[in-house]
Amino acid sequence: MKTRFDHLRRHLITTCTVIAFAVAGAVRTPTSAVEAQTMPAGAKLDPTLVEAMKSIEPGCGPITTENGLIYRKDGRLRVVVVMSNPTDIVELQRGAANIDALRSSVRLRQDRFIARLGAGDVHNVVRLDLQCAFSGFADSAAMRKIASLPEVEMIVPDYLREQFTVEGRALATSDAAEATYGFTGSGMSVAMIDGSFDYTHEWFGHGTVGSPDPSVIVGMRDLSGNAKVGDPGAVQADDEVYPEGSDDDPWHATGTSGIVRKYAPGAKLALLKVFPNAYDSVIGNAINWAVIHQYENPASPIRLINMSLGGGRYSGDCPTGVIQSAIDIAKAANIICVVATGNQGYDRMIASPGCDPDVIAVGSVFDADNAYYSPFPPRFCVEPRPKKDHRICYSNASPSLDMYAPSEEVMTALAGSGNLLTRLGGTSSASPALAGCAAQILEAKPGLIGDKSGLLDLLQRTGDQIEDNPDPSYEDRRVNVVAAITDGAAGAQIQSFVANPGAIVPGESSTLSWSCTNTLDVTVSGTPGKLPPSGTLKISPETSTVYTLTARGVAGNATATVTVLVNSPTAAMDVNPPSAIFGPVPVGDSSVPVLFTITNTGSGDLLIGTITVDGPDASDFSLDLGSVSGDRIAPSQTQSFQVVFQPESQGVKQATVTVASNAGIVHVQVYGTGTLDASAADLKGAWSSLKRKSSTLTGRLTCANGGKTPASGFTVALFMSKNARLDPSDTPVGSKAVSGLAAQGAITVKIGRVKVPAKCHYIIAVIDPTNAVPETDELNNRVISTKF
C-alpha cells in the first residue's frame, strides 16, 4: 500500500519548508531538584533545541532532527518544560496507587509555576496529568527565561511522532491457544494509542456513532489536544474518537485495533486518539489516561498499551523524556507497553518510544512464504521472495529490539466500511499482533500481569527463531503463544470429586462437588457444557450412574469417577465377615490381608458404588479394591476386596469400612493393635549430678540405650522450667549432639555453665526430640531433674 503515509505527509508539508539537521551526543538530564537549581539556564536546554532555535523561520512546519520532528509555528518551537519533582510526587509516581492524590499534587505544582509566567511566554499550554511538566510553543527568549527558574529541570523538544505502517495468527499459534486451550485474552483490556477509530465496524461490535459497543470498547478519549497543526484555535470534543469530521485518517488506528481483536478476540479495547498532534506530551498524557482509567471496567482492567508509532532514531536506550516518565508510571501501575520499532529499515537504530528499556519493542517478520507485500515509504525496500519468519527489510533493529511478530500484510478492519477488510503491514501490524498474543498469555499466566521482564523472558525463551537478523547479538525470536502458555505448566490435578448423597431413591437428587488445580475447565459425563475448575452440580439420575469428571489442563488432563446409586427394590447385599479383628502388628509393618466378600442376595443386579474407610484411625488401614468398586454383580454372584492393617503408632486402632450400593449401605468395623518393635533401640537417661552456683548450673546426664539396636545421629535438648513438666513456655538453653550409642550402652553428656532464668527450678533433658531414632518406647525420653 504505497500511499499509507500520504495523509501524514500532506498534513505536515503544506506551504512550509522542512528544515533538516542532526545533533550527535546524549542528552544529560539533571537527577535532582537541587542540581537543577544550580545549573545555568543554557545547560537546561536540550542541545537539539539550541540548534533548532538557530533555524526558526516565519511560518509553520516541521524541523527534521535525528531524534524526531520538532514543530515550529510563528517563530516558536513546540517544547516540553520539565519541572523537578518533589519527594512526595516521586513516591506517588513510583507507587501509582493513589492516582487522585498524584493528579492533585501535579496540578497544583503546574498551576503555581504557570501562574508566574508571562502571558506570551508559552502558547497553547497542555499539562501532563501525572507528571510535573507541560508543553506548548515558546520562542528563544521565553525558553531561556523559563530555563533560568529554579523549579525547571529541563526544556526538551516536544517531538511530533508518526504512525508506523491472520495469516500471522497461525504462525504465532495464537489460533491454537484459543482453539485448544480457550485463551482469548479475556479479562484484559488493551489501550490503543493511535489516531481516529471507526468503532462502528462489526469487529468492534457494530456500535453507533457516540455509542460504541461496551462489550468491546471499555473507554475512549480524544487526546489530540487543542493545538491542532495549522489550526491552533480548534478544540477536539472529549470522548469522541470516531473519524467523522476529523482531519485524521482512521485507516491506521482502525486496522491496528482490528489486529488486536483478531489475535485476542476476548480482550477489550480502550481507544485513545493522539493523531494528528502526536507530540511526546500528548502521547505521554494518553499513557497517563490509561493509568487513571485502568479499572474503568473492573472485569477487564487495562493491562497492555499498544503504540504503533514513534519517531527519531536511537542506537541504544532512549533518553529521559515525558513519554519515558509516563511509561515508568504505567509500569508502577502494572501496565505493560508494547511498541513498534519503526519502518525506516535501520539495522542499528529504532525509533522512540520503542527504544525505552521498559517497553517491549516489536519488529516484523513475514507471516508466510510468498506473503503479499508492497514496498511503502519511507524505506521503499523490495523483498523479491518473502519467506515465513524472515525479518522484513523495512523493520528497524538495534540492541533495544525485544521481539518479533508476524506482519505483512494482515487482513484487518477497514474504516468506514461496516464489515469490509483491508491490508495493514509494517511494524504497525506486528506490534498489535504481539499485544494480542500477550493478552492471551497473561490470561493463561496471570502471575505475569504487570511483570514486563517476566513476560519478555518467557516470550524470548519460548519464541521461534527468525532469519535475516541484521546482527547476531540482537534478539532473534518470534512470539509463539502455545509454547509460552505451556512452558513450565503442570498437568491438571483433581483434588476431590464426590457425590452427596452417594445413594438416592428414584426421584431424589444428589450434588456432585469437585475441586481441581492447574485446570482450565471441567466437563462431567452426561451433563452439557464446560464447568469451572471448582464447583457443584445437581443431578437426578433415574438409575445408578457412574459420572466421569475430566479436568482439562494446559499440560495434560486428569479424570476421576464417582457413582451415584439409585436404590433398586430388587437388589440386596450381604458383606461377610461383618467385622474383622487383626492381631497385634508391629508399628510400620503390615498384617495379613482380610478378605471381605460381597454377595448379591436379591433378584436384580447389584451395582457397587464407592468403598471407603473412615474413622479416627482410618490411616492405619488400607483397601485393596481390585475391580469391585463400580462393578455390577448379578443375582447370587459375589465379588471381594481386601483390608490390610498397617499401624502407624502403638495402641488399639479402629475404623469403619463403608460399602455403598443400589441396595443401600453396609458398615463393617475393623480393629487392630499396633505394637512396638522389641528389637529397636530404647533411649533413656538420668541426671548423675547437678550443681548450681549463683545463676549458672553445671552437671552430668547419663544417656543409655536399653534396646537391641544401636542408635546414631540424635541430639539431647535442654530446657529450663518453672515446674516439673515440659511446657511450651519453657526456656531452651542449648543442645548436645550424640553421634552414636551402642545397644545396651551408655555415655555421659556433660552440661557446662547453663544460665538459669529467673524463677526456674528444674532442668529437663529431652533425648532425641525429633524422633530421629526408632525406639521401642518413645515415652521415656524426658529426664526431669529434682528441684534446685
Side-chain angles (χ1 to χ4, degrees):
M1 185 176 292
K2 298 181 180 180
T3 60
R4 66 180 70 187
F5 291 117
D6 287 350
H7 69 287
L8 181 62
R9 291 175 171 271
R10 288 196 301 271
H11 193 69
L12 294 178
I13 308 172
T14 53
T15 59
C16 304
T17 304
V18 176
I19 305 170
F21 62 88
V23 177
V27 177
R28 180 178 181 272
T29 302
T31 58
S32 70
V34 174
E35 185 179 352
Q37 291 177 13
T38 59
M39 291 177 64
K44 297 180 185 180
L45 290 172
D46 186 295
T48 306
L49 274 181
V50 175
E51 193 68 24
M53 285 191 289
K54 300 175 184 179
S55 306
I56 298 178
E57 296 179 358
C60 67
I63 301 174
T64 302
T65 75
E66 185 83 8
N67 296 332
L69 300 175
I70 305 176
Y71 203 80
R72 61 191 174 94
K73 182 181 67 176
D74 300 329
R76 298 180 179 86
L77 297 179
R78 175 86 176 204
V79 299
V80 177
V81 178
V82 181
M83 295 178 283
S84 57
N85 281 3
T87 302
D88 61 331
I89 290 180
V90 171
E91 292 303 316
L92 286 168
Q93 288 174 333
R94 287 175 179 169
N98 194 339
I99 296 299
D100 290 339
L102 176 58
R103 293 181 76 185
S104 297
S105 298
V106 166
R107 186 72 179 194
L108 181 62
R109 185 161 176 79
Q110 291 169 339
D111 288 346
R112 288 175 176 172
F113 184 84
I114 293 171
R116 296 172 55 192
L117 302 180
D121 286 344
V122 182
H123 291 202
N124 306 118
V125 171
V126 176
R127 293 171 172 81
L128 275 294
D129 286 331
L130 303 180
Q131 298 137 269
C132 291
F134 62 91
S135 66
F137 289 91
D139 58 21
S140 301
M143 280 187 248
R144 297 190 183 280
K145 171 186 171 182
I146 295 170
S148 68
L149 299 176
E151 298 98 320
V152 174
E153 186 173 278
M154 203 66 161
I155 301 179
V156 297
D158 196 4
Y159 292 112
L160 182 63
R161 303 303 181 181
E162 302 174 86
Q163 293 169 320
F164 292 147
T165 86
V166 197
E167 305 94 346
R169 195 181 183 215
L171 182 66
T173 67
S174 169
D175 55 351
E178 177 183 1
T180 304
Y181 304 108
F183 293 123
T184 64
S186 177
M188 311 287 157
S189 287
V190 181
M192 304 296 296
I193 298 178
D194 214 301
S196 295
F197 299 82
D198 180 5
Y199 51 74
T200 68
H201 195 280
E202 70 173 4
W203 279 23
F204 311 119
H206 260 324
T208 59
V209 177
S211 299
D213 187 338
S215 67
V216 178
I217 312 300
V218 301
M220 59 183 184
R221 179 69 58 149
D222 184 343
L223 294 160
S224 55
N226 61 1
K228 283 190 177 182
V229 175
D231 186 13
V235 179
Q236 293 275 29
D238 282 345
D239 293 326
E240 185 55 77
V241 298
Y242 187 76
E244 192 173 71
S246 170
D247 59 357
D248 174 51
D249 191 334
W251 68 269
H252 186 272
T254 304
T256 56
S257 299
I259 291 173
V260 172
R261 290 289 293 169
K262 189 170 190 175
Y263 277 78
K268 302 184 187 306
L269 302 172
L271 309 179
L272 306 176
K273 179 179 183 292
V274 296
F275 286 95
N277 297 305
Y279 296 105
D280 283 4
S281 59
V282 176
I283 297 170
N285 251 349
I287 298 170
N288 292 339
W289 187 97
V291 173
I292 294 167
H293 298 271
Q294 181 177 12
Y295 294 98
E296 187 136 317
N297 184 328
S300 298
I302 295 174
R303 300 300 190 189
L304 296 154
I305 293 174
N306 181 77
M307 290 179 274
S308 295
L309 51 79
R313 49 185 182 178
Y314 297 84
S315 58
D317 292 344
C318 301
T320 301
V322 290
I323 295 183
Q324 282 67 42
S325 55
I327 289 170
D328 288 343
I329 297 171
K331 179 181 178 182
N334 293 323
I335 298 175
I336 298 172
C337 296
V338 180
V339 185
T341 60
N343 302 329
Q344 289 77 20
Y346 301 141
D347 287 345
R348 298 288 180 268
M349 294 174 288
I350 65 175
S352 173
C355 48
D356 189 301
D358 287 321
V359 309
I360 297 178
V362 187
S364 293
V365 293
F366 282 115
D367 55 18
D369 292 342
N370 301 313
Y372 182 92
Y373 172 74
S374 175
F376 59 89
R379 182 69 174 87
F380 279 116
C381 59
V382 177
E383 291 278 6
R385 284 187 297 274
K387 290 186 178 181
K388 178 182 68 175
D389 268 339
H390 281 238
R391 172 195 173 237
I392 309 176
C393 57
Y394 61 71
S395 184
N396 293 348
S398 83
S400 297
L401 182 143
D402 294 311
M403 204 66 197
Y404 284 94
S407 181
E408 217 54 47
E409 283 191 359
V410 181
M411 297 304 296
T412 185
L414 173 63
S417 70
N419 58 8
L420 299 181
L421 304 180
T422 188
R423 298 181 185 274
L424 181 67
T427 55
S428 276
S429 66
S431 180
L434 193 284
C437 292
Q440 292 179 287
I441 295 168
L442 294 182
E443 181 190 2
K445 295 179 177 287
L448 291 176
I449 289 175
D451 184 1
K452 175 259 176 182
S453 297
L455 175 62
L456 184 56
D457 175 72
L458 176 67
L459 289 170
Q460 293 173 344
R461 183 160 38 83
T462 60
D464 293 339
Q465 190 166 6
I466 65 107
E467 303 292 336
D468 296 339
N469 211 27
D471 189 304
S473 67
Y474 295 173
E475 183 56 46
D476 63 349
R477 297 287 166 169
R478 185 258 305 147
V479 58
N480 184 321
V481 181
V482 168
I485 65 178
T486 57
D487 179 71
Q493 294 181 341
I494 300 173
Q495 306 300 317
S496 63
F497 182 42
V498 297
N500 187 27
I504 60 176
V505 299
E508 290 184 340
S509 297
S510 179
T511 299
L512 302 178
S513 302
W514 63 90
S515 177
C516 306
T517 57
N518 305 324
T519 298
L520 300 173
D521 52 54
V522 159
T523 56
V524 176
S525 61
T527 65
K530 294 181 179 180
L531 301 165
S534 296
T536 61
L537 181 66
K538 193 173 183 179
I539 44 96
S540 300
E542 295 180 359
T543 60
S544 298
T545 304
V546 178
Y547 291 92
T548 300
L549 179 142
T550 301
R552 191 172 64 94
V554 169
N557 300 341
T559 61
T561 61
V562 68
T563 302
V564 177
L565 300 166
V566 180
N567 290 341
S568 168
T570 61
M573 177 175 63
D574 176 70
V575 180
N576 192 52
S579 64
I581 300 176
F582 294 83
V585 176
V587 173
D589 283 354
S590 299
S591 71
V592 174
V594 171
L595 185 71
F596 290 86
T597 300
I598 303 172
T599 303
N600 182 356
T601 58
S603 59
D605 283 354
L606 177 67
L607 180 63
I608 305 300
T610 56
I611 302 176
T612 61
V613 57
D614 305 292
D617 303 313
S619 60
D620 294 288
F621 299 86
S622 63
L623 298 173
D624 181 4
L625 300 177
S627 61
V628 65
S629 184
D631 195 15
R632 187 178 295 273
I633 304 174
S636 302
Q637 297 301 304
T638 64
Q639 184 59 279
S640 60
F641 64 94
Q642 294 180 337
V643 178
V644 176
F645 178 46
Q646 298 170 312
E648 298 175 346
S649 60
Q650 66 183 112
V652 176
K653 309 293 181 179
Q654 177 181 356
T656 302
V657 177
T658 300
V659 182
S661 73
N662 63 341
I665 296 174
V666 172
H667 301 290
V668 176
Q669 302 301 317
V670 291
Y671 306 87
T673 302
T675 62
L676 297 172
D677 184 353
S679 66
D682 182 20
L683 299 175
K684 51 190 174 181
W687 290 106
S688 56
S689 67
L690 282 174
K691 294 181 181 180
R692 178 172 180 173
K693 185 176 181 181
S694 185
S695 62
T696 61
L697 185 73
T698 59
R700 295 176 185 274
L701 174 73
T702 299
C703 183
N705 179 4
K708 299 179 180 180
T709 302
S712 61
F714 63 93
T715 60
V716 177
L718 304 175
F719 299 85
M720 286 293 179
S721 178
K722 297 178 182 179
N723 49 45
R725 64 177 182 270
L726 185 63
D727 297 320
S729 60
D730 289 347
T731 305
V733 291
S735 64
K736 303 288 184 179
V738 179
S739 59
L741 184 56
Q744 302 300 313
I747 59 173
T748 299
V749 178
K750 185 178 179 181
I751 311 299
R753 293 188 177 278
V754 175
K755 186 174 181 180
V756 180
K759 298 182 180 181
C760 284
H761 303 289
Y762 298 86
I763 184 169
I764 302 174
V766 180
I767 303 172
D768 191 20
T770 61
N771 294 325
V773 177
E775 301 181 54
T776 59
D777 188 356
E778 297 282 5
L779 304 180
N780 62 351
N781 289 22
R782 295 182 185 180
V783 188
I784 303 173
S785 72
T786 59
K787 188 175 182 180
F788 51 75

